[in-house]
Amino acid sequence: MGVRHAVVAGGGIGGLTAAVALSRRGWRVTVCERASALTGIGAGIVLAPNALRALESIGLGPAVSAGEPLTGALGLRTPDGAWLSRTGATASRYGVPARAVHRGFLIDALAAALPPGTLRLGVSVGGVDEAVEGAVVVRTSAGELRADAVVAADGLRSALRGQLFPRHPGPRYAGETGWRAVLSGAGLPALPAAETWGRGERFGIVPLADGRVYVYATAVTGPGTRPADHRAELVRRFGAWHDPIPALLERLDRCEPGPVTVLHHDFHELAEPLPRFHSGRVALLGDAAHAMTPNLGQGGCQAIEDAVVLAHLLAGDTAVPAALAAYTEARLGRTTLISRRSRRMGDLARLSHPLAVSVRNFAVRATPSAVTARGLDTLLGWQPPPGPDPAPGSPQASSRSVDIKEEEQQ
């Protein structure tokens, strides 16, 4: 068998991770990314232990290890600063501390790990057609490509998902809008990673590994609502909340070391799971397969998991259709479970009636930390399949299908 060729539609976190992982499994890979550049994308992302293990399994641990990890407990607070809960440090329980980085840093690290000539910028994928002899013809804005397998990592509004599953309803508005920004951390004291819950509003603070601070905020609004002045809107909503939130909001006006960009997006999700994550020789991953709300911070982490599992199953001489069926078996249950848990977390966070908020806060305070930790084990305790050249003692794959109802009852 000659070198097999995979076309990856989309140069985001999931698509680039898949490209790196497949390349290191012996595949020739072409990544088609419609954007003309990969620089300055997004804001912050928390690489949880499950994602870090996945990256380590394909040799990318050192590429994302620069700077300081998230240390100490993670917390949930009320607008007056009182703590609702604090979760123990991830390193002591999962063997590796979570790491928060700028998405641009992660994208650059992934792109740098690709073989030369892999990435084609300014090229979009419009569709796929079955070809003779089991290959696939990929229709792109730069012409047709022939591939043995296609990875649809083209995001929330995936064109390939629409082609493969035309009856699926697609993304649904999740009831919230969000703001994100990365600020200078110069002169600030050490900040704990924490999220503050108010009445239908949230504010999050995450120190990044490079010393900057990632902040985000959410509010219950109608879809398409766009404030005339994002900074003024954030100050109106959160300016009277506990320290250091007012001080962080003041930094939105600073222009050094560079102007602060405030990103604003409505939240959407694939509320109805796809029947499977593959069709023929095409596999969907990341938001194209299971776009979820950001309430558990697992959207990007699950895309990384997808990519590593997919490459593992496509290794060697495995027939592509059989490998993709195994990929669905390995990933559909887990991602559906996590998506549902994220949706339920969002339902709690969006509560705005004073009585409902009081009951919620009491329940959070009363939940034993051991119970919270066990709940995180399902997310963060995942182990990746072995990499192309696993070191002695590397964690082995756990690619069983997850029975969703059984998991939810535990």
Side-chain angles (χ1 to χ4, degrees):
M1 178 182 294
V3 176
R4 295 186 290 182
H5 180 217
V7 172
V8 178
I13 291 171
L16 292 177
T17 304
V20 173
L22 285 167
S23 295
R24 296 185 177 187
R25 292 286 188 177
W27 283 69
R28 180 171 66 88
V29 182
T30 301
V31 179
C32 297
E33 166 54 46
R34 65 181 179 180
S36 59
L38 295 180
T39 57
I41 296 175
I45 179 173
V46 176
L47 294 174
N50 53 311
L52 288 170
R53 287 193 212 95
L55 293 170
E56 179 67 35
S57 75
I58 59 172
L60 289 178
V64 297
S65 62
E68 296 297 322
L70 283 177
T71 57
L74 310 179
L76 185 62
R77 308 176 78 171
T78 58
D80 62 2
W83 290 97
L84 290 174
S85 69
R86 303 191 79 174
T87 304
T90 60
S92 59
R93 190 173 183 90
Y94 303 108
V96 59
R99 186 173 295 275
V101 301
H102 195 286
R103 284 178 180 263
F105 166 82
L106 180 57
I107 290 287
D108 289 345
L110 292 168
L114 292 173
T118 298
L119 183 60
R120 299 188 182 181
L121 297 173
V123 177
S124 60
V125 173
V128 295
D129 299 305
E130 290 292 333
V132 296
E133 301 176 359
V136 177
V137 173
V138 183
R139 291 179 270 112
T140 82
S141 58
E144 294 183 346
L145 294 172
R146 187 182 178 91
D148 297 285
V150 176
V151 180
D154 50 345
L156 174 70
R157 306 195 183 280
S158 167
L160 294 184
R161 183 184 65 231
Q163 177 188 342
L164 301 176
F165 300 100
R167 295 185 179 181
H168 189 272
R172 183 189 73 177
Y173 176 59
E176 286 181 284
T177 194
W179 295 265
R180 296 174 294 153
V182 174
L183 309 173
S184 169
L188 292 174
L191 300 175
E195 187 169 282
T196 301
W197 283 10
R199 294 172 51 185
E201 297 173 330
R202 284 178 286 173
F203 197 97
I205 302 170
V206 182
L208 297 184
D210 62 8
R212 291 182 291 175
V213 182
Y214 168 44
V215 297
Y216 60 90
T218 73
V220 176
T221 65
T225 303
R226 296 290 180 267
D229 184 327
H230 289 300
R231 182 192 177 280
E233 180 71 6
L234 290 169
V235 170
R236 182 183 72 82
R237 290 180 178 274
F238 306 103
W241 286 25
H242 65 79
D243 292 332
I245 293 175
L248 290 170
L249 292 176
E250 289 179 1
R251 295 190 173 219
L252 293 175
D253 286 336
R254 294 195 178 182
C255 294
E256 293 182 359
V260 175
T261 299
V262 178
L263 303 175
H264 179 244
H265 297 96
D266 293 334
F267 293 168
H268 291 81
E269 62 173 338
L270 291 186
E272 180 178 320
L274 292 171
R276 58 190 183 279
F277 288 169
H278 74 286
S279 180
R281 289 175 173 265
V282 182
L284 292 93
L285 65 73
D287 282 353
H290 47 70
M292 60 185 68
T293 58
N295 303 303
L296 295 177
Q298 279 287 312
C301 295
Q302 290 306 302
I304 291 170
E305 284 189 17
D306 288 346
V308 169
V309 171
L310 177 62
H312 171 71
L313 294 170
L314 284 170
D317 296 333
T318 307
V320 170
L324 299 194
Y327 168 69
T328 285
E329 183 75 6
R331 298 301 301 162
L332 178 58
R334 174 168 168 79
T335 55
T336 300
L337 172 66
I338 292 172
S339 180
R340 289 178 178 175
R341 286 181 60 180
S342 184
R343 187 180 310 124
R344 288 197 295 267
M345 182 70 76
D347 291 341
L348 287 175
R350 286 195 303 274
L351 293 175
S352 58
H353 190 281
L355 179 59
V357 169
S358 295
V359 172
R360 176 196 71 193
N361 291 353
F362 175 81
V364 172
R365 284 194 180 99
T367 302
S369 58
V371 173
T372 302
R374 286 198 298 271
L376 289 174
D377 287 347
T378 305
L379 301 177
L380 309 184
W382 178 87
Q383 298 289 341
D389 297 299
S394 292
Q396 299 301 305
S398 177
S399 58
R400 65 176 178 85
S401 175
V402 177
D403 186 299
I404 300 170
K405 293 183 179 179
E406 180 178 310
E407 290 279 353
E408 289 182 334
Q409 291 170 358
Q410 293 179 352

